Amino acid sequence: MLGAIPAGAVSALDVGTGDGLLARELAQRLPDVTAIDVDRDIVGSTRAEFDAVDFVVGDVMTHEFHRQFDVVASVATLHHLDDLSAALRRLADLTSPGGVLVVVGLARPTRWSDFAMDAVGVIQHRWLSVASRALGTLRADSLAAGTLVPRDISVRRR
């Protein structure tokens, strides 16, 4: 995902940030990072740990950003929204001309194997979150490379 950052990019939006792992990685590369999630508690605790990101409690579908971003990223979030087409249009609208929209994980689980892979992904994400906090400069993207968890990655340039 981080490899999709275009040259000259300065801003990013992390959609469904959760514990802020991606937002922290983006902030190490870009000076202007905003992260949004509907979970007030997790955003509050993440905000307290990392002040280089503008953490927002809200719904990406309705929040007024009053701007666009060079990078709009979503990891395992869009399948939680009611209307996938509307969500993709919204994220595309938030992406600046010449910017990138990167989405990982669009599918809703339907089989037991899907749920099992989701569980493995949750465990992996939690481990990466703990490890990155413990080691500070750990690059989670390099640790995730080659993982057994399949990743559905789409990159769309505008």
Side-chain angles (χ1 to χ4, degrees), residues 4-66:
I5 298 172
V10 295
S11 64
L13 173 64
D14 178 11
V15 178
T17 193
D19 63 7
L21 182 62
L22 177 59
R24 288 190 295 269
E25 287 288 319
L26 289 167
Q28 291 176 1
R29 292 162 176 79
L30 302 170
D32 176 15
V33 177
T34 300
I36 187 168
D37 200 296
V38 295
D39 188 326
R40 179 176 306 281
D41 293 335
I42 199 161
V43 170
S45 64
T46 302
R47 181 184 291 138
E49 291 179 28
F50 195 75
D51 61 358
V53 174
D54 178 20
F55 287 99
V56 176
V57 176
D59 181 345
V60 70
M61 297 300 291
T62 58
H63 184 77
E64 291 295 331
F65 292 98
H66 303 289

Side-chain angles (χ1 to χ4, degrees), residues 22-154:
L22 177 59
R24 288 190 295 269
E25 287 288 319
L26 289 167
Q28 291 176 1
R29 292 162 176 79
L30 302 170
D32 176 15
V33 177
T34 300
I36 187 168
D37 200 296
V38 295
D39 188 326
R40 179 176 306 281
D41 293 335
I42 199 161
V43 170
S45 64
T46 302
R47 181 184 291 138
E49 291 179 28
F50 195 75
D51 61 358
V53 174
D54 178 20
F55 287 99
V56 176
V57 176
D59 181 345
V60 70
M61 297 300 291
T62 58
H63 184 77
E64 291 295 331
F65 292 98
H66 303 289
R67 62 181 288 198
Q68 292 180 309
F69 301 87
D70 299 323
V71 177
V72 175
S74 171
V75 177
T77 299
L78 293 187
H79 64 275
H80 294 289
L81 301 178
D82 292 332
D83 185 342
L84 179 59
S85 295
L88 288 170
R89 281 191 303 275
R90 171 69 170 152
L91 297 188
D93 289 344
L94 289 168
T95 306
S96 63
V100 295
L101 167 57
V102 183
V103 177
V104 177
L106 285 173
R108 286 189 171 102
T110 57
R111 299 173 298 182
W112 284 109
S113 60
D114 297 337
F115 289 103
M117 291 307 286
D118 283 352
V120 170
V122 167
I123 293 166
Q124 175 197 31
H125 181 79
R126 296 217 191 271
W127 180 83
L128 289 172
S129 297
V130 169
S132 69
R133 286 186 185 113
L135 299 176
T137 59
L138 179 67
R139 292 209 31 220
D141 58 324
S142 64
L143 288 174
T147 180
L148 296 176
V149 179
R151 294 187 285 173
D152 174 17
I153 300 176
S154 298

